Amino acid sequence: MDFPRTLRERRTRRHLSQLDLALRAGTTQRHLSFIECGRSLPGRNMVVRLAESLELPLRERNELLLAAGYAPAYPESRLDDPVLAPVRTAIDHILRGHLPYPALVVDRGGDLIAANAAFDLITEGAAPDLLGPGTNVYRLALHPDGLAPRILNLAEWAHHILARLDHLQELRTELAGYVPELEPSAGLLGFAVPLRLQSSHGELRLMTTVTTFATAVDVTLAELKLEAFLPADPATAEALSAAAEPAAPAVTGQAPGNM
């Protein structure tokens, strides 16, 4: 990559002026201007400070360092690496602790890493090739053989999914092709967009939360996302509890790998 151009693109994407970024990084606007014009080569520490000041994801910080001719600063471990054993244990505890409500962990591309047993209620009836560790949860959500036929507010939910995929343009284009005619309604949606899903226990109304490892300095760990589903009404809470009664509180699968 062309370092001056890359730095300039990252800065303008975040709507920062040269002065804003220079103040954040502890340098002068003149020095930053020289860097962006290619008249000055920044040291490694300056590149790290600029990347931190831009609040770039760890993967992009490594890319910026490589563009400047330096080695990456942040490791990218495999999830099955012994160093991440505490992470795997933490994920297992979180997934089990969220029962009887569904929860899953995905990587930056939306590929499934692990899910708890309650997630089976959401995926019931989906094609087998869309399920299991390593498959893509966004494709599962919008594919005609996935959840789409059972999602009662598919237009709103598809819009919600597609809005999260700006960094995955190829996947976004594929999924948009599954819902080309749908338009979200203009009515009041309430305090959050729920997933309204038909299930064997009746209609489920679910809201979602997304959690990340905030202090991660490993690329793999920083890109993991825990998505937890919560009942949006008492009827859904009762249905999820009823569905969980005969089920053992176990994690359904884990697919460690280099992401």
Side-chain angles (χ1 to χ4, degrees), residues 3 131 142 165-167 179 188 222 244:
F3 176 77
L131 300 174
L142 300 186
L165 301 181
D166 287 343
H167 67 298
V179 287
L188 180 65

Side-chain angles (χ1 to χ4, degrees), residues 162 168-178:
L162 295 175
L168 299 168
Q169 283 300 318
E170 185 175 343
L171 179 63
R172 191 183 192 282
T173 300
E174 175 198 339
L175 300 188
Y178 298 141

Side-chain angles (χ1 to χ4, degrees), residues 128-152:
D129 61 330
L130 294 174
L131 300 174
T135 57
N136 191 274
V137 297
Y138 303 132
R139 183 176 291 110
L140 169 66
L142 300 186
H143 196 283
D145 295 330
L147 307 186
R150 296 169 45 229
I151 297 178
L152 302 178

Side-chain angles (χ1 to χ4, degrees), residues 101-253:
Y101 305 147
L104 64 154
V105 176
V106 299
D107 65 15
R108 70 187 297 266
D111 291 343
L112 182 66
I113 301 300
N116 65 11
F119 189 57
D120 291 346
L121 184 60
I122 290 182
T123 63
E124 61 183 8
D129 61 330
L130 294 174
L131 300 174
T135 57
N136 191 274
V137 297
Y138 303 132
R139 183 176 291 110
L140 169 66
L142 300 186
H143 196 283
D145 295 330
L147 307 186
R150 296 169 45 229
I151 297 178
L152 302 178
N153 59 335
L154 182 58
E156 286 80 10
W157 195 251
H159 180 77
H160 168 70
I161 293 291
L162 295 175
R164 299 167 62 177
L165 301 181
D166 287 343
H167 67 298
L168 299 168
Q169 283 300 318
E170 185 175 343
L171 179 63
R172 191 183 192 282
T173 300
E174 175 198 339
L175 300 188
Y178 298 141
V179 287
E181 304 299 326
L182 299 179
E183 290 292 336
S185 66
L188 180 65
L189 295 175
F191 61 87
V193 178
L195 169 62
R196 295 180 54 208
L197 186 68
Q198 194 59 254
S199 78
S200 58
H201 286 258
E203 180 184 339
L204 304 177
R205 295 176 60 90
L206 300 159
M207 53 186 178
T208 62
T209 64
V210 176
T211 304
T212 60
F213 288 87
T215 58
V217 292
D218 184 284
V219 174
T220 298
L221 180 57
E223 292 178 344
L224 293 181
K225 291 182 175 62
L226 170 70
E227 185 150 358
F229 292 83
L230 296 165
D233 58 29
T236 299
E238 292 175 8
L240 291 173
S241 295
E245 285 177 2
V251 172
T252 61

